[in-house]
Amino acid sequence: QVHLVESGGGSVLPGGSLRLSCAASGYAYNDRCMGWFRQAPGRPREGVAASRSDGASSGAGSVQGRFTISRDAAANILYLQMNSLNQEDTAMYYCAASSRYCRRSDLLLQSTYNYWGQGTQVTVSS
Protein backbone atom coordinates (compact mmCIF):
# COMPACT_ATOMS: atom_id res chain seq x y z
CA GLN A 1 0.00 0.00 0.00
CA VAL A 2 1.45 3.31 -1.07
CA HIS A 3 0.99 6.33 1.17
CA LEU A 4 2.01 9.87 0.38
CA VAL A 5 1.93 12.34 3.27
CA GLU A 6 2.50 16.01 2.66
CA SER A 7 3.67 18.49 5.29
CA GLY A 8 5.10 21.98 5.49
CA GLY A 9 2.12 24.02 4.44
CA GLY A 10 0.92 27.04 6.36
CA SER A 11 0.26 30.75 6.20
CA VAL A 12 2.92 33.13 4.97
CA LEU A 13 3.21 36.76 3.99
CA PRO A 14 3.68 37.72 0.33
CA GLY A 15 7.33 37.39 -0.55
CA GLY A 16 7.84 34.65 2.00
CA SER A 17 9.01 31.07 1.61
CA LEU A 18 7.85 27.60 2.51
CA ARG A 19 9.24 24.13 1.95
CA LEU A 20 6.80 21.32 1.39
CA SER A 21 7.72 17.72 2.04
CA CYS A 22 6.12 14.52 0.81
CA ALA A 23 7.00 11.35 2.64
CA ALA A 24 6.35 8.23 0.59
CA SER A 25 5.87 4.85 2.20
CA GLY A 26 5.33 1.60 0.40
CA TYR A 27 6.63 3.28 -2.74
CA ALA A 28 9.60 1.60 -4.29
CA TYR A 29 9.51 3.20 -7.72
CA ASN A 30 12.32 5.64 -7.23
CA ASP A 31 12.98 5.61 -10.93
CA ARG A 32 9.51 6.83 -11.72
CA CYS A 33 7.96 10.27 -11.66
CA MET A 34 6.88 12.30 -8.68
CA GLY A 35 5.39 15.74 -8.63
CA TRP A 36 3.47 18.50 -6.97
CA PHE A 37 0.06 19.74 -7.99
CA ARG A 38 -2.15 22.43 -6.53
CA GLN A 39 -5.77 23.40 -6.51
CA ALA A 40 -7.15 26.79 -5.56
CA PRO A 41 -10.82 27.25 -4.69
CA GLY A 42 -12.96 27.29 -7.80
CA ARG A 43 -10.08 26.34 -10.06
CA PRO A 44 -8.97 23.05 -11.59
CA ARG A 45 -5.99 21.18 -10.22
CA GLU A 46 -2.79 22.13 -12.00
CA GLY A 47 0.70 20.76 -12.18
CA VAL A 48 3.31 22.80 -10.33
CA ALA A 49 6.57 20.89 -10.63
CA ALA A 50 7.58 17.30 -11.23
CA SER A 51 10.70 15.28 -11.73
CA ARG A 52 12.08 11.94 -12.75
CA SER A 53 15.00 10.26 -11.02
CA ASP A 54 17.16 10.66 -14.13
CA GLY A 55 17.03 14.41 -13.60
CA ALA A 56 14.29 15.30 -16.03
CA SER A 57 12.01 17.92 -14.56
CA SER A 58 9.28 20.30 -15.50
CA GLY A 59 7.66 23.27 -13.86
CA ALA A 60 4.70 25.49 -14.53
CA GLY A 61 5.56 28.82 -16.06
CA SER A 62 4.01 30.67 -13.14
CA VAL A 63 6.52 29.18 -10.69
CA GLN A 64 9.68 29.22 -12.81
CA GLY A 65 12.53 30.81 -10.92
CA ARG A 66 10.62 30.67 -7.63
CA PHE A 67 9.87 27.00 -6.91
CA THR A 68 12.38 24.15 -6.87
CA ILE A 69 11.58 20.48 -6.73
CA SER A 70 14.00 17.98 -5.28
CA ARG A 71 13.96 14.50 -3.87
CA ASP A 72 15.84 12.43 -1.33
CA ALA A 73 15.67 9.03 -2.94
CA ALA A 74 17.20 7.23 0.02
CA ALA A 75 14.59 8.62 2.40
CA ASN A 76 11.77 8.52 -0.15
CA ILE A 77 10.95 12.19 0.36
CA LEU A 78 9.98 14.73 -2.28
CA TYR A 79 10.43 18.42 -1.57
CA LEU A 80 9.11 21.64 -3.02
CA GLN A 81 10.98 24.78 -2.04
CA MET A 82 8.75 27.78 -2.67
CA ASN A 83 10.22 31.27 -2.62
CA SER A 84 8.78 34.70 -3.41
CA LEU A 85 5.30 33.47 -2.71
CA ASN A 86 2.36 35.58 -3.81
CA GLN A 87 -1.37 35.41 -3.26
CA GLU A 88 -1.86 33.50 -6.52
CA ASP A 89 0.07 30.63 -4.95
CA THR A 90 -2.62 30.11 -2.34
CA ALA A 91 -3.96 26.59 -2.83
CA MET A 92 -4.05 23.06 -1.54
CA TYR A 93 -0.85 21.38 -2.62
CA TYR A 94 -0.81 17.68 -3.44
CA CYS A 95 2.04 15.24 -3.85
CA ALA A 96 1.71 12.64 -6.58
CA ALA A 97 3.67 9.58 -7.61
CA SER A 98 3.59 7.21 -10.51
CA SER A 99 4.30 3.49 -10.63
CA ARG A 100 4.78 3.70 -14.37
CA TYR A 101 7.54 5.18 -16.46
CA CYS A 102 6.61 8.64 -17.66
CA ARG A 103 7.81 10.78 -20.49
CA ARG A 104 9.16 14.21 -19.72
CA SER A 105 6.27 15.71 -21.66
CA ASP A 106 3.87 13.96 -19.28
CA LEU A 107 5.41 15.15 -16.02
CA LEU A 108 2.77 17.79 -15.29
CA LEU A 109 -0.23 15.75 -16.41
CA GLN A 110 -2.52 14.44 -13.69
CA SER A 111 -3.17 11.28 -15.68
CA THR A 112 0.50 10.35 -15.27
CA TYR A 113 0.06 9.69 -11.57
CA ASN A 114 -1.75 6.92 -9.81
CA TYR A 115 -0.90 7.76 -6.20
CA TRP A 116 -1.93 10.96 -4.46
CA GLY A 117 -1.53 12.47 -1.02
CA GLN A 118 -4.22 14.22 0.98
CA GLY A 119 -2.74 17.66 0.47
CA THR A 120 -1.33 20.48 2.56
CA GLN A 121 -2.76 23.99 2.53
CA VAL A 122 -0.64 26.97 1.56
CA THR A 123 -2.08 30.41 2.22
CA VAL A 124 -0.30 33.58 1.15
CA SER A 125 -1.88 36.66 2.61
CA SER A 126 -0.97 39.99 4.08
Side-chain angles (χ1 to χ4, degrees), residues 5-91:
V5 180
E6 303 95 335
S7 61
S11 295
V12 64
L13 295 172
S17 298
L18 285 173
R19 187 176 80 156
L20 305 183
S21 300
C22 171
S25 60
Y27 182 68
Y29 303 100
N30 285 321
D31 60 342
R32 298 298 188 253
C33 300
M34 295 186 74
W36 291 96
F37 289 74
R38 68 185 180 186
Q39 187 167 20
R43 300 184 66 177
R45 189 175 297 189
E46 63 174 353
V48 177
S51 71
R52 219 169 46 193
S53 60
D54 65 357
S57 65
S58 184
S62 61
V63 306
Q64 292 284 350
R66 300 189 299 124
F67 291 11
T68 302
I69 188 170
S70 62
R71 64 168 78 183
D72 182 337
N76 250 355
I77 300 175
L78 183 73
Y79 298 101
L80 183 68
Q81 177 66 44
M82 306 186 296
N83 299 326
S84 301
L85 286 161
N86 58 58
Q87 292 181 333
E88 288 67 42
D89 297 315
T90 295

